[in-house]
Amino acid sequence: MSDSIVIIPTYNEKENIEKIIRKVFSLSFSYHILIIDDGSPDGTASIVKALQKEFNGQLFIEERRGKLGLGTAYIHGFKWCLAKDYEYIFEMDADFSHNPKDLIRLRQACVDGADLSIGSRYIKGVNVVNWPMKRVLMSYFASGYVRLITRTDIRDATAGFVCYKRKVLETIPLNKIKFVGYAFQIEMKFTAIKYGFKVVEVPIIFTDRTEGTSKMSTKIFREAFFGVIQMKINSWFRKY
């Protein structure tokens, strides 16, 4: 039984899913993996279920009907993991934009005292590979915007490569997390800080996907932009 589990949400990731699973299982530390698949029409779930025979007791899948959003996928995964005995619960993308080797560094940061560790693209300059300059600038200045509005020191507020200690997810009222797109990542970090948890950023190199299709959209960006202001105002009337 591992004390660490990696949640990977998927929608049409047949090109990447087997490779990312095998890469995580090849690491020197033993991680379990939970796939949250939102009814991928390309057969992603079938690939995972076939691999479960090989990785019995290490690889799990939860299938949902339809594309319900990144935030709800992670909330579903968090609740599933909390019902088990995992101490370290990770978020990671399926497309290799997050290097699985960095899972070890994120876990170690929490072992060393962090309650939440973030794989940060911007803690040491801008460490992004293969992104168009427009998207790099949008992401970088979005994190600056979040710092300005929330008055937090996180350099990469929208990062989706993180490790939570169990107690963080037990403390945060997950049913009250409102956002479902990339604003979800901001809200989770902001809420963890408001509850007094220690957040540490670990520098990583982020590499854009080479296979599959990005799920970023204007609607997701708009939710994040306006949602930050709403989230900050709501925090004034909430007890942590």
Side-chain angles (χ1 to χ4, degrees):
M1 179 67 187
S2 176
D3 66 356
S4 302
I5 187 163
V6 183
I7 303 173
I8 304 177
T10 57
Y11 183 77
N12 286 350
E13 291 289 356
K14 68 177 183 179
E15 298 93 348
N16 296 304
I17 193 60
E18 180 171 354
K19 288 181 284 188
I20 198 75
I21 288 170
R22 291 192 181 280
K23 186 63 178 179
V24 172
F25 286 146
S26 74
L27 298 174
S28 58
F29 186 85
S30 177
Y31 295 88
H32 287 180
I33 297 174
L34 171 63
I35 304 296
I36 309 292
D37 187 72
D38 273 9
S40 298
D42 71 345
T44 297
S46 297
I47 296 171
V48 175
K49 286 186 280 190
L51 289 170
Q52 283 184 301
K53 299 173 184 178
E54 181 178 350
F55 299 109
N56 184 38
Q58 297 173 275
L59 176 61
F60 309 95
I61 183 169
E62 290 283 288
E63 295 181 79
R64 306 195 305 166
R65 294 184 178 180
K67 196 174 181 183
L68 303 176
L70 181 75
T72 64
Y74 276 126
I75 295 296
H76 183 104
F78 293 157
K79 291 178 179 179
W80 190 97
C81 294
L82 289 175
K84 315 296 181 181
D85 293 325
Y86 297 103
E87 178 62 26
Y88 303 98
I89 300 168
F90 296 77
E91 297 180 7
M92 189 176 75
D93 291 347
D95 60 8
F96 283 93
S97 55
H98 304 141
N99 188 337
K101 292 180 180 179
D102 289 327
L103 289 167
I104 293 173
R105 296 169 58 231
L106 290 178
R107 182 181 182 278
Q108 191 60 49
C110 285
V111 170
D112 291 342
D115 299 310
L116 164 60
S117 61
I118 302 169
S120 178
R121 296 164 288 189
Y122 307 127
I123 196 68
K124 291 185 176 180
V126 178
N127 291 310
V128 177
V129 178
N130 291 339
W131 258 10
M133 182 55 65
K134 179 180 178 181
R135 191 167 177 188
V136 172
L137 292 173
M138 182 175 71
S139 174
Y140 182 79
F141 285 110
S143 284
Y145 168 73
V146 172
R147 288 197 304 277
L148 177 67
I149 299 298
T150 64
R151 295 294 191 264
T152 59
D153 294 327
I154 297 175
R155 305 294 301 181
D156 195 352
T158 62
F161 193 22
V162 301
C163 174
Y164 292 94
K165 277 187 177 175
R166 178 185 186 87
K167 63 181 180 180
V168 178
L169 298 178
E170 287 177 328
T171 301
I172 292 175
L174 297 175
N175 289 334
K176 292 185 178 180
I177 297 297
K178 297 182 180 298
F179 299 119
V180 298
Y182 284 88
F184 163 82
Q185 302 291 3
I186 301 168
E187 186 177 10
M188 286 294 296
K189 296 175 183 68
F190 178 73
T191 306
I193 290 171
K194 294 296 286 185
Y195 273 104
F197 289 111
K198 182 180 179 181
V199 178
V200 170
E201 291 187 84
V202 177
I204 65 162
I205 295 176
F206 179 97
T207 304
D208 194 20
R209 66 163 65 236
T210 57
E211 296 185 278
T213 305
S214 173
K215 312 307 186 293
M216 175 59 78
S217 69
T218 303
K219 179 180 177 182
I220 289 172
F221 181 78
R222 188 167 58 246
E223 179 200 51
F225 185 86
F226 293 106
V228 170
I229 298 174
Q230 179 186 341
M231 181 185 70
K232 177 64 176 179
I233 293 172
N234 290 346
S235 72
W236 297 338
F237 306 97
R238 178 175 170 183
K239 292 183 178 181
Y240 293 90

